[in-house]
Amino acid sequence: MNTKRTFQILAIALVLAAFVGCQASGNQSSTPESDQQGAATGPATESSSVTGRRPARRSAEASQSSQPAQPRTVMQTFTLPASTPIHIRLSTELNTGSTAQGSVFDGTLETPLIVSGVTVASRGSLVHGRVTNVVSSGRLKRPAEISLMLTSITPTGGQQTSISTQTWAVSGKSHKRRDLEMIGGGAGVGAAIGAIAGGGKGAAIGSLIGGAGGTAGAYATGKKEIDLPTETQMTFHLSSPASFTVQVTR
């Protein structure tokens, strides 16, 4: 009786062992397949993800390329040729009776300076100049004269630029003829007065007195200076090319 039960227990144990072994074998064989499926699924998912991002990037690049280029500011040099007229308006009064040779003066541009459609110096830009020669009006004979030239232009909002111009000059009119008329007229009047007062001798004395009086009048009134007040307009011409560096937008 005990022996039979023992055989039954062993048989049941063998069956259970065989069943457990089959289950373990089945689990091992299914694991590589699931791994392979997982591996196959992983790259496919990553690939589809990458593929999904590329169109968005290309779309952004296309959007950027379709936008117009933004303008930029650069410095560029332009050159005014020789003989270019420079129209100015004086800011400093000049007078041959008080202005010394070598004095400096200021002014402003009356018209803008333009090169190839670009304004290199706008109207109102500051100009500087120098008095190269000045002669005060002489007594009885020498007329006044004054000569000027520009030395630089400072464009509004820009840097000072040295320039060289031809000389601008003006001379006073000679007053020699007028002085002679005044002297002669004075002598004639003196002679007439002398003749009325005392005859021939009185006429001679009157002529000397009248001549002296006429000379004094010419000396007092014959001196005429040249005055160039502020706001006087004048035109200079470049004697050599002048280069200006300005900002331009491209």
Side-chain angles (χ1 to χ4, degrees):
M1 182 66 179
N2 290 335
T3 301
K4 184 178 181 181
R5 184 173 294 179
T6 300
F7 281 117
Q8 290 177 348
I9 292 172
L10 289 175
I12 292 170
L14 290 174
V15 171
L16 290 174
F19 179 76
V20 171
C22 291
Q23 290 293 331
S25 177
N27 290 336
Q28 291 178 359
S29 62
S30 62
T31 300
E33 293 178 359
S34 60
D35 292 341
Q36 290 176 2
Q37 291 178 358
T41 304
T45 303
E46 183 178 356
S47 176
S48 62
S49 177
V50 173
T51 304
R53 287 197 301 268
R54 286 178 181 172
R57 184 182 302 173
R58 290 177 182 175
S59 176
E61 293 175 352
S63 176
Q64 292 177 359
S65 63
S66 64
Q67 294 179 355
Q70 295 297 324
R72 59 192 183 97
T73 301
V74 297
M75 302 300 294
Q76 189 169 345
T77 300
F78 297 88
T79 301
L80 288 170
S83 299
T84 297
I86 310 293
H87 305 287
I88 76 161
R89 187 184 293 267
L90 279 180
S91 300
T92 304
E93 181 178 4
L94 301 174
N95 187 289
T96 54
S98 58
T99 301
Q101 182 173 325
S103 299
V104 296
F105 65 90
D106 297 328
T108 56
L109 279 181
E110 182 64 15
T111 58
L113 300 178
I114 301 175
V115 183
S116 301
V118 176
T119 299
V120 297
S122 61
R123 182 177 185 271
S125 294
L126 185 64
V127 299
H128 302 279
R130 186 178 71 253
V131 178
T132 58
N133 182 54
V134 61
V135 175
S136 179
S137 178
R139 302 291 185 181
L140 301 178
K141 57 179 181 179
R142 189 173 187 181
E145 60 184 56
I146 187 169
S147 301
L148 316 171
M149 67 180 299
L150 297 182
T151 56
S152 68
I153 297 177
T154 305
T156 303
Q159 297 181 347
Q160 182 174 350
T161 300
S162 298
I163 63 171
S164 178
T165 66
Q166 299 172 7
T167 301
W168 184 97
V170 63
S171 297
K173 294 181 179 180
S174 174
H175 43 256
K176 182 177 181 180
R177 179 179 178 182
R178 177 172 175 271
D179 292 341
L180 290 176
E181 288 176 350
M182 289 185 66
I183 293 172
V189 172
I193 294 174
I196 294 172
K201 185 177 180 180
I205 296 173
S207 177
L208 291 174
I209 296 173
T215 302
Y219 187 82
T221 61
K223 183 176 174 66
K224 185 174 180 61
E225 302 291 356
I226 296 173
D227 184 68
L228 301 174
T230 58
E231 300 299 320
T232 298
Q233 297 183 42
M234 53 186 63
T235 299
F236 295 81
H237 290 82
L238 289 178
S239 58
S240 60
S243 296
F244 294 80
T245 301
V246 298
Q247 289 185 346
V248 295
T249 301
R250 292 180 174 178

